[in-house]
Amino acid sequence: MPEIRVTVWNEFVHEKTKEAVKAVYPEGIHQAIAAYLSQQAGLLVRTATLDEPEQGLGEEVLANTDVLIWWGHAAHNEVRDEIVDRVQARILEGMGLIVLHSAHHSKIFKRMMGTSCNLQWREAAEKERLWVVDPSHPITRGLSRYIELPHTEMYGEPFDIPTPDKVIFISWFQGGEVFRSGCTWTRGKGKIFYFRPGHETFPIYYNPEILQVIGNAVRWAAFVGNSEVDLQVVNVEPLEDINS
Ligand code: ZN
């Protein structure tokens, strides 16, 4: 089987500007995720950041990416619309997209969803339990019934997203809210997975179960469909004689 080419994109802003974030992710969130994925068989991993040429997402990078992981929070609006157009086009062609935590408000996720992607939130370092609600799904492989995170930022419903193809995880929070924490959609030939856990001041991207979900999601989101059939507007001749 050919390797799955993964690009971990991070705006990489908080880690350079806030000491509390630098203390948790000294090399950046993208490097923490890439360090795990690089150790997994069958994955070829690179990183990309906002401050690189073409905001890290030039034509060549995207053409050689099977699955794009997206982390952003402070700089959503700095991502240029032409880059969003380019990423969207690749997703419609079959590139997978994994959207993490605060990237619910990224331009690319809102573009792909078509809704506000608004939600409720509270930063109080409370407990979260992510329940596996679809154990048939490959993204849940290797997990137990739930993942428990001792200190998280709360995200609560209503989450303004279009009805997902599948809801994989539902979170319960100590403060009483619930949230659809793991959801999938298809857009064109591409698969999209939103995964809630994260936050720049909690060490969540070192948690083995969270990393396992991200690795499972990469394998799930990689294109395995029909590369012969393109989704294009084509004026076609009939296959049969329709004039007699
Ligand atoms: Zn957060």
Side-chain angles (χ1 to χ4, degrees):
M1 230 170 91
E3 288 184 309
I4 299 172
R5 300 165 300 174
V6 186
T7 300
V8 185
W9 189 90
N10 178 10
E11 64 179 26
F12 197 24
V13 173
H14 290 313
E15 300 96 321
K16 291 187 287 192
T17 56
K18 292 188 176 178
E19 288 303 322
V21 181
K22 205 183 289 183
V24 182
Y25 296 105
E27 310 295 325
I29 283 172
H30 54 304
Q31 296 295 356
I33 294 169
Y36 168 80
L37 293 176
S38 301
Q39 294 170 359
Q40 305 303 304
L43 305 185
L44 190 64
V45 182
R46 74 162 106 188
T47 62
T49 56
L50 183 67
D51 56 5
E52 293 173 3
E54 300 200 69
Q55 303 194 319
L57 296 170
E59 297 278 6
E60 185 272 336
V61 171
L62 284 172
N64 291 290
T65 298
D66 299 309
V67 178
L68 178 64
I69 298 175
W70 195 281
W71 203 95
H73 181 222
H76 295 319
N77 286 335
E78 290 177 36
V79 178
R80 294 199 306 271
D81 289 340
E82 75 214 54
I83 304 292
V84 179
D85 293 344
R86 187 183 287 171
V87 174
Q88 178 187 23
R90 271 291 289 139
I91 294 166
L92 297 177
E93 277 175 13
M95 182 181 74
L97 177 70
I98 297 171
V99 177
L100 297 174
H101 187 64
S102 46
H104 71 92
H105 261 170
S106 62
K107 282 187 180 179
I108 186 60
F109 187 57
K110 290 195 289 185
R111 171 78 65 86
M112 300 316 293
M113 296 295 106
T115 54
S116 72
C117 302
N118 287 342
L119 47 77
Q120 323 289 304
W121 65 282
R122 173 176 62 243
E123 197 175 341
E126 68 204 86
K127 182 155 78 177
E128 173 181 9
R129 217 173 266 134
L130 287 113
W131 288 92
V132 173
V133 295
D134 186 355
S136 75
H137 202 282
I139 287 178
T140 70
R141 188 177 301 141
L143 303 175
S144 56
R145 294 166 66 215
Y146 57 83
I147 299 171
E148 195 162 287
L149 299 170
H151 304 293
T152 62
E153 177 184 24
M154 187 283 293
Y155 278 9
E157 297 281 347
F159 184 19
D160 183 22
I161 47 173
T163 300
D165 293 347
K166 298 272 184 178
V167 177
I168 316 279
F169 298 100
I170 292 178
S171 285
W172 164 91
F173 292 89
Q174 205 171 353
E177 290 85 356
V178 295
F179 191 75
R180 288 168 289 172
S181 280
C183 301
T184 71
W185 298 264
T186 47
R187 292 289 185 267
K189 293 162 77 175
K191 296 184 200 169
I192 299 172
F193 178 55
Y194 174 79
F195 191 44
R196 195 210 83 82
H199 199 63
E200 61 277 5
T201 55
F202 298 122
I204 286 171
Y205 297 125
Y206 300 112
N207 179 302
E209 293 168 300
I210 297 301
L211 291 168
Q212 169 139 23
V213 171
I214 294 172
N216 288 347
V218 165
R219 293 181 198 91
W220 168 82
F223 184 73
V224 290
N226 185 328
S227 51
E228 297 300 311
V229 178
D230 282 327
L231 298 170
Q232 292 178 350
V233 178
V234 184
N235 187 305
V236 292
E237 295 297 321
L239 296 174
E240 311 291 340
D241 179 4
I242 56 176
N243 295 314
S244 56

